[in-house]
Amino acid sequence: MSDKTLHPNSLALHAGFRSDPTTNSVAPPIYQTTSYQFDSTEHASNLFALSELGNIYTRIMNPTCDVLEQRLSQLEGGVAALAVSSGQAASTFAILNLCQSGDNFVTSTDLYGGTWNLFANTFKQLGIDVRFADPSNPENFAKLTDEKTRCYYAETLPNPKLEVFPIQEVSDIGNELGVPLIVDNTAAPIICKPIDHGASIVMYSTTKYIGGHGNSIGGVIIDSGNFDWEKNGDRFPLLTTPDPSYHGAIWTEAVKPLGPIAYILRARVTLLRDVGASMSPFNAFNFIQGVETLPLRMERHCENANLVASFLKERSEVSKVIYPSLMNGPPLDRAHKYLKSGFFGGLLGFELKGGREAGQKFIDSLKMIYHVANIGDARTLAIHPASTTHSQLSEEEQRASGVTPGYVRLSVGIEYHEDIIRDIDQALLSI
Ligand code: PLP
């Protein structure tokens, strides 16, 4: 189903699927197949030539994945999407679809550690120059841009700092210079729509809030269809010059009868075809289930996180609570500007006066809350970054990334709020 007038809460249930054409099943079936019977040799050759769109092989497309792609694309306000095997695969494809050896891109310094490693090490080894910009001043993106800059990259609500990225300010700079902004919106689905603020491409680790139940790894890239690749053609040879891997197709030309989907079509029919990091139909089904309750869950995550933040603020063991609504100055202004009114996300951090030892003791004392390296689960999760996710960094590097020795990260779940607070309370009393 495709009805742009539906509210996001309704799109989450209805976008991209009405019923199965052969069985009338209301739940999207798991099309657990590798391949699809062609009607004729002409049909097969049309599909391969992209003169007709349809299923060829599950590495490249699958009807269950297609429902997820359509649903997320409509929820986000995009024109098309591509499901892949993980959030890491999504950010890899999002960049490699524009950059080749000798090119560069500018990224915010406030990044998930896995993305940082991908950019600073693996992309560097591939000959892609990654330039890191402090997002507190959007002009830093302009300063690092040159004729070889292919895109900007940022996370909407990066942890541990939880300072909302200036999406519109950096998109405006990109529009002026002809550079698209890619936004990782993993931590803020439903409560932020980056495309409304000028982002050209949105990506998610669906592993987190979208799946919501901690059972499947996946990722998705959504194309806004808003970026004019042809106008800035010299910057995007991968989209505007003949592709030797596809009979010399020029993607911006080839998609003319299909709509503004050059970016996402190329990602599917070249990168996904060649690299093969596809989402399994079973995982796509789990993510579709997740999306159906995502708006409800996000409300509860945000309400509970807000209550936990208020509770922690009053505690003598805690020196600082890091939560968007508790910030001041530009970070608070951006939280209000970019996040849905009254919703500040499900992630929060706090610093324990007792430092590293107190942080570890707190985590070891939790009873209901899980100690795991994940976010966005329906269950409340906690981690002490200094002794886990950030332990390879020096204390100075940890501080630069926003991690102090006593910092604890919570991904607040949807349990009854008093149970979450009771568990935190007893763990605080034990330190
Ligand atoms: N982006 C963000 C913001 C993340 O937090 C993560 C994982 O924690 C990723 C991307 C990578 O996602 P995945 O684990 O699905 O590869």
Side-chain angles (χ1 to χ4, degrees):
M1 187 175 189
S2 171
D3 178 352
K4 293 212 164 84
T5 63
L6 290 181
H7 185 276
N9 293 14
S10 311
L11 285 174
L13 288 151
H14 295 287
F17 188 77
R18 182 65 188 169
S19 59
D20 178 54
T22 47
T23 63
N24 289 343
S25 161
V26 169
I30 303 172
Y31 286 96
Q32 193 68 28
T33 182
T34 55
S35 33
Y36 308 85
Q37 160 88 346
F38 302 121
D39 298 339
S40 63
T41 49
E42 189 193 355
H43 177 223
S45 94
N46 286 345
L47 292 179
F48 276 89
L50 299 177
S51 56
E52 190 180 333
L53 291 184
N55 298 319
I56 299 174
Y57 189 58
T58 283
R59 171 153 38 80
I60 311 167
M61 72 283 279
N62 173 277
T64 313
C65 297
D66 180 61
V67 174
L68 178 70
E69 289 163 348
Q70 289 194 47
R71 195 158 290 183
L72 289 177
S73 166
Q74 287 189 42
L75 261 178
E76 213 59 49
V79 289
L82 177 66
V84 291
S85 58
S86 67
Q88 287 299 100
S91 45
T92 303
F93 281 18
I95 300 288
L96 291 186
N97 207 31
L98 298 172
C99 289
Q100 44 192 333
S101 177
D103 294 343
N104 71 69
F105 69 96
V106 184
T107 179
S108 166
T109 44
D110 294 350
L111 289 178
Y112 162 61
T115 311
W116 182 286
N117 274 331
L118 169 70
F119 289 1
N121 299 303
T122 302
F123 281 169
K124 197 168 159 210
Q125 287 151 13
L126 294 176
I128 297 170
D129 174 21
V130 187
R131 301 172 175 187
F132 290 90
D134 176 353
S136 59
N137 180 4
E139 281 304 317
N140 289 335
F141 281 76
K143 284 186 201 141
L144 292 170
T145 304
D146 63 22
E147 75 286 354
K148 288 274 190 185
T149 304
R150 304 296 181 231
C151 58
Y152 298 151
Y153 186 97
E155 289 179 21
T156 305
L157 186 57
N159 77 81
K161 287 187 188 160
L162 298 176
E163 292 182 7
V164 176
F165 183 78
I167 302 173
Q168 183 233 313
E169 291 84 339
V170 174
S171 297
D172 285 353
I173 291 171
N175 277 337
E176 192 104 328
L177 300 174
V179 180
L181 171 64
I182 300 170
V183 174
D184 177 346
N185 202 41
T186 297
I190 303 292
I191 63 170
C192 178
K193 282 178 75 181
I195 292 173
D196 288 353
H197 301 289
S200 300
I201 308 294
V202 176
M203 58 133 296
Y204 283 97
S205 162
T206 51
T207 314
K208 317 295 178 188
Y209 289 103
I210 289 177
H213 296 82
N215 58 26
S216 307
I217 300 278
V220 72
I221 309 169
I222 299 154
D223 188 343
S224 70
N226 292 341
F227 194 83
D228 191 341
W229 308 105
E230 280 183 313
K231 182 170 157 215
N232 305 287
D234 291 349
R235 222 183 251 291
F236 307 108
L238 291 177
L239 296 176
T240 60
T241 60
D243 185 339
S245 84
Y246 225 103
H247 324 296
I250 297 174
W251 295 111
T252 44
E253 294 286 331
V255 298
K256 291 238 154 100
L258 306 170
I261 59 166
Y263 175 90
I264 208 75
L265 185 69
R266 179 186 187 275
R268 182 187 297 282
V269 301
T270 67
L271 285 174
L272 191 59
R273 175 198 64 182
D274 297 351
V275 180
S278 1
M279 181 182 283
S280 81
F282 184 74
N283 281 7
F285 177 82
N286 287 336
F287 294 131
I288 293 165
Q289 298 306 290
V291 175
E292 293 189 352
T293 56
L294 180 63
L296 270 181
R297 283 187 286 109
M298 285 312 291
E299 273 183 32
R300 183 58 64 83
H301 281 295
C302 295
E303 280 165 20
N304 281 355
N306 208 23
L307 291 166
V308 171
S310 305
F311 167 79
L312 287 168
K313 222 167 37 130
E314 305 305 325
R315 293 299 297 230
S316 58
E317 304 89 339
V318 174
S319 53
K320 188 174 177 192
V321 180
I322 298 104
Y323 192 60
S325 63
L326 301 180
M327 294 178 183
N328 298 305
L332 180 64
D333 296 342
R334 286 175 187 152
H336 284 299
K337 175 171 176 178
Y338 293 110
L339 303 181
K340 188 173 161 185
S341 175
F343 294 88
F344 296 97
L347 302 179
L348 72 80
F350 60 97
E351 290 175 8
L352 288 165
K353 286 180 189 159
R356 187 186 179 94
E357 204 183 317
Q360 287 177 294
K361 188 79 204 295
F362 174 84
I363 296 282
D364 286 336
S365 306
L366 291 169
K367 293 193 168 118
M368 180 188 79
I369 296 173
Y370 283 88
H371 176 206
V372 296
N374 193 21
I375 58 167
D377 195 306
R379 305 157 187 87
T380 300
L381 316 174
I383 200 155
H384 177 239
S387 59
T388 56
T389 51
H390 289 60
S391 57
Q392 279 93 353
L393 306 183
S394 68
E395 199 173 311
E396 199 181 312
E397 287 169 329
Q398 288 183 6
R399 282 184 195 280
S401 71
V403 171
T404 55
Y407 184 101
V408 173
R409 182 186 76 197
L410 291 178
S411 173
V412 180
I414 63 171
E415 299 96 338
Y416 183 54
H417 62 92
E418 285 184 11
D419 291 330
I420 304 171
I421 288 174
R422 189 152 20 101
D423 198 18
I424 295 172
D425 183 41
Q426 64 80 26
L428 285 174
L429 291 174
S430 75
I431 61 180

